[in-house]
């Protein structure tokens, strides 16, 4: 059982490192960073307490929002998905990403207190 | 003809027992002096000279210097003016040995003024001047002119002046039409609350109307068509004002007063007490003054008590008793009828003159007496009646020798009687209080002593029941008896005894609660909302570092992946885009620290639009470059 899991994981990692382009790996690294940050904030909240709750929410939602937008960007610039996004060029995807982030940051800063 | 009618009216009022209206205002002696004072002020022209001289003569007084006045009149006279002639002629008539010189022209001018074309005032002044100067005039012509003018000038003052004019005419003239005007004018009077009757034109018009009506009625020997109540209401209106605005107003009041005190038909009478209406054993005589409205005593009047009824018991004490006259004051020894103390309603009637109006008057008379406290017994009674009571008698005004002690098992009792010192009759005054005063603490507790059915006063203090009033403070209390009433001449404040009260469970605080009632209370400190417990700074600093650490990891990963900025083109749009984007992130920080949403949105709009334009350019260039490859 564990053997198959290990083999699946190792196969996945091998395919990932060879098949994915550099651009996507850059975005993946960014997504991994956001994930870590969000997880650490959640850990703090669990361990120490929810004071101040609004700040915790702002930070956590910032991570979640950024992660989602990053995922959207990755999907849109992936050449394999080109068929799904004919009218959206890579630059357009990036511009959308920036605009959405501006709105997200405005909300987060408003809420952070 | 007229007199029996007035008499019948009086009888009718008595028979019906109706409360006839009596004057509520008249001119007291000081009011008359004030009126004379106003009229005696120095005069500067003929009109004020006329008001002063004639007004004072109506009040029975004279101007300060008659010769001077006469010279003034002669000097100021303008023989061409009807008004001037009127004032001078009338005023000179009031002064003895004062004659105004006249000429034929004077007569012609005056006669010319008597016509339908002059105003009523002009006619009046001309007619009065002619009559005062002793010149002949044709009464019938005057009447015709007056009737014509009344039809044209239908106001109160004009008709009153016409009435006055008619008093100067011969008695043979046809004055009937003008006499009827009195009744018509009386109908125009306004009734205020059933107490006042006056013209809306004011006091002067009302007073002049009264003067004219009575003077004309006297002249024509016809009773004026005014009812008794109307006369009284007119008296109230004319004499309610005690300080007058102008000489002419004072003159009109003086004329009205003279007319009402000496006409042939209606003379209002004023019955008043001299001092307070109180009789007692020391002052048994009731003094009453009977005067006319100028406060002159009536020459031929008799005063009679029709009935004197006790207000409390409604029993009639006196009936049909005459007053005796002494030095102009009517006296009656009321105490001779041995009335009990209290209030009595007197109905007195003034007789002797059929002209008298409002001659039935109601008065309230008080009979006061002195009170004596008898049979004062103080005792301490045991509640369960097992131990015999100790009663001691105290006599007024002495104090009981020993003190009385009462604790929670005993009651303190007080019995006494209040009697009239002169007659021995039992009294129940309004105020019978028992006062306990603790001299150490300043406490004062007052109770009411009530009489029983036999008019014996009893007071009992249940120590246990009443401890709340005493705040459970045991100690020596000084006992006072307070007796008072409006009909008592000797109110009593009697220190009867000392009472020692013992209360159980002294819960009361050492200081009197009433004393601390008005002291400042302890301060209330406001408790602010406690801030929530924060974790120690070490922990938060650690976690801050921990949360920021993945950024380092990101940079390391990116470096490993080979991400670089070698493709960075230094075109203006890309530079502007990056600068703008950096500004936007900086704005977020400033928003967090300083700004509010509105300001932020404003700046964001500016920077954002620039960044957007630049970014658009830059990405387009990139796209072009990419497609070119």
């Amino acid at each position: 059982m564990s053997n198959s899991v290990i083999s699946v994981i190792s196969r996945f990692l091998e395919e990932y490192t060879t098949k994915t382009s550099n651009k996507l790996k850059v975005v993946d690294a960014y997504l991994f960073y956001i994930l870590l940050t969000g997880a650490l904030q959640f850990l703090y909240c669990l361990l120490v307490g929810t004071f101040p709750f609004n700040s915790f929410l702002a930070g956590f939602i910032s991570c979640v929002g950024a992660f989602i937008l990053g995922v959207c960007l990755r999907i849109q610039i992936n050449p394999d998905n080109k068929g799904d996004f004919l009218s959206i060029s890579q630059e357009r995807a990036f511009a959308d990403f920036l605009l959405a982030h501006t709105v997200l940051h405005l909300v987060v800063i408003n809420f952070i207190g | 003809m007229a007199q029996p009618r007035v008499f019948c009216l009086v009888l009718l009022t008595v028979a019906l027992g109706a409360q006839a209206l009596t004057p509520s205002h008249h001119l007291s002696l000081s009011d008359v002096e004030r009126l004379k004072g106003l009229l005696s002020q120095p005069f500067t022209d003929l009109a004020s000279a006329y008001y002063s001289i004639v007004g004072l003569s109506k009040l029975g007084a004279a101007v300060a210097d008659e010769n001077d006045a006469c010279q003034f009149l002669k000097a100021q006279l303008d023989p061409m003016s009807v008004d001037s002639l009127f004032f001078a002629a009338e005023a000179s008539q009031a002064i003895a040995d004062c004659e105004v010189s006249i000429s034929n022209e004077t007569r012609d001018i005056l006669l010319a003024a008597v016509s339908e074309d002059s105003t009523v005032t002009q006619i009046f002044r001309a007619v009065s001047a002619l009559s005062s100067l002793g010149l002949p005039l044709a009464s019938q012509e005057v009447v015709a002119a007056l009737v014509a003018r009344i039809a044209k000038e239908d106001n109160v003052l004009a008709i009153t002046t016409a009435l006055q004019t008619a008093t100067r005419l011969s008695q043979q003239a046809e004055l009937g039409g003008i006499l009827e005007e009195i009744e018509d004018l009386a109908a125009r009077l306004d009734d205020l609350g059933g107490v006042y009757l006056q013209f809306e034109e004011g006091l002067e018009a009302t007073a002049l109307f009264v003067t004219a009506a009575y003077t004309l009625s006297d002249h024509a020997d016809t009773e004026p068509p005014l009812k008794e109540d109307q006369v009284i209401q007119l008296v109230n209106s004319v004499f309610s004002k005690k300080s007058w605005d102008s000489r002419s107003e004072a003159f009109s009041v003086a004329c009205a007063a003279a007319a009402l005190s000496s006409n042939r038909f209606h003379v209002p009478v004023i019955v008043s007490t001299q001092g307070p209406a109180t009789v007692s054993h020391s002052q048994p005589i009731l003094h009453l003054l009977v005067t006319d409205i100028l406060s002159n005593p009536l020459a031929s009047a008799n005063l009679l008590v029709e009935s004197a009824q006790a207000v409390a018991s409604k029993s009639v004490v006196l009936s049909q008793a005459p007053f005796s006259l002494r030095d102009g004051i009517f006296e009656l020894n009321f105490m001779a009828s041995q009335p009990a103390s209290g209030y009595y309603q007197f109905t007195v009637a003034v007789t002797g003159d059929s002209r008298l109006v409002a001659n039935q008057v109601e008065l309230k008379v008080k009979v006061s007496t002195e009170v004596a406290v008898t049979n004062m017994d103080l005792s301490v009674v045991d509640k369960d009646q097992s131990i015999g009571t100790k009663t001691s008698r105290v006599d007024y005004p002495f104090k009981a020798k020993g003190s009385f002690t009462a604790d929670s098992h005993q009651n303190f009792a007080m019995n006494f009687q209040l009697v009239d010192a002169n007659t021995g009759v039992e009294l129940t005054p309004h105020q019978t209080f028992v006062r306990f005063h603790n001299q150490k603490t300043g406490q004062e507790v007052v109770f009411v002593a009530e009489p029983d059915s036999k008019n014996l006063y009893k007071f009992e203090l249940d120590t246990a029941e009443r401890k709340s009033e005493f705040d459970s403070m045991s100690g020596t209390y000084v006992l006072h008896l307070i007796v008072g009433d409006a009909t008592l001449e000797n109110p009593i404040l009697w220190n009867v005894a000392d009472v020692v009260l013992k209360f159980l469970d002294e819960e009361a605080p050492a200081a009197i609660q009433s004393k601390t009632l008005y002291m400042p209370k302890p301060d209330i400190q406001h408790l602010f909302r406690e801030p929530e417990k924060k974790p120690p700074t070490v922990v938060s600093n650690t976690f801050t570092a921990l949360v920021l650490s993945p950024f380092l990891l990101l940079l390391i990963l990116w470096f490993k992946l080979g991400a670089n900025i070698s493709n960075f083109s230094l075109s203006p749009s890309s530079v502007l885009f990056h600068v703008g984007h950096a500004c936007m992130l900086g704005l977020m920080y400033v928003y967090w620290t300083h700004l509010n949403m509105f300001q932020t949105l404003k700046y964001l709009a500016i920077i954002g639009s620039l960044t957007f334009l630049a970014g658009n350019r830059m990405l387009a260039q990139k796209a072009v470059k990419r497609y070119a490859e």
Side-chain angles (χ1 to χ4, degrees), chain B residues 447-519:
Chain B
F447 297 100
V448 179
E450 309 242 327
D452 63 11
S453 52
K454 292 200 214 86
N455 283 345
L456 205 70
Y457 277 87
K458 263 175 148 55
F459 168 69
E460 216 168 291
L461 177 69
D462 186 341
T463 330
E465 205 181 307
R466 297 275 182 207
K467 66 176 183 196
S468 57
E469 265 118 6
F470 288 91
D471 280 336
S472 298
M473 292 292 288
S474 305
T476 310
Y477 287 83
V478 178
L479 180 65
H480 278 93
L481 176 69
I482 303 172
V483 177
D485 191 272
T487 57
L488 291 181
E489 292 196 329
N490 62 334
I492 290 180
L493 176 67
W494 176 20
N495 184 354
V496 185
D498 287 330
V499 181
V500 179
L501 295 174
K502 287 204 182 66
F503 296 98
L504 290 177
D505 43 271
E506 286 208 34
E507 315 148 327
I512 306 274
Q513 275 167 343
S514 61
K515 274 214 177 113
T516 58
L517 194 63
Y518 299 105
M519 293 286 123

Side-chain angles (χ1 to χ4, degrees), chain A residues 22-23 25-34 36-37 40-41 43-45 47-48 51 82 89-92 94-95 98-99 102 105-107 109-113, chain B residues 532-535 539-540 543 546-554 557-558 561-563 577 581 584-585 588-589 591-592 597 600-601 604 618-620 622-623 626-627:
Chain A
N22 238 9
K23 214 193 274 190
K25 280 194 191 148
V26 164
V27 178
D28 284 340
Y30 168 73
L31 289 176
F32 182 62
Y33 150 69
I34 295 285
L36 271 185
T37 313
L40 282 170
Q41 285 186 345
L43 185 72
Y44 172 85
C45 181
L47 286 180
V48 185
F51 180 80
K82 206 150 174 201
S89 62
Q90 298 203 346
E91 285 73 25
R92 172 71 196 276
F94 184 64
L98 284 180
L99 182 69
T102 310
H105 284 161
L106 205 62
V107 171
I109 297 293
N110 187 35
F111 203 57
I112 205 161
Chain B
E532 287 188 35
K533 269 203 311 219
K534 284 195 280 206
V539 175
S540 11
F543 268 93
L546 211 60
V547 161
L548 290 174
S549 60
F551 189 64
L552 282 168
L553 183 65
L554 178 69
L557 278 174
W558 274 354
L561 283 171
F577 166 76
H581 193 232
M584 270 164 51
L585 292 172
M588 288 297 131
Y589 175 75
Y591 174 35
W592 182 34
M597 178 65 99
T600 315
L601 284 177
L604 195 65
M618 181 194 79
L619 286 173
K622 271 216 141 70
R626 194 158 58 84
Y627 284 131

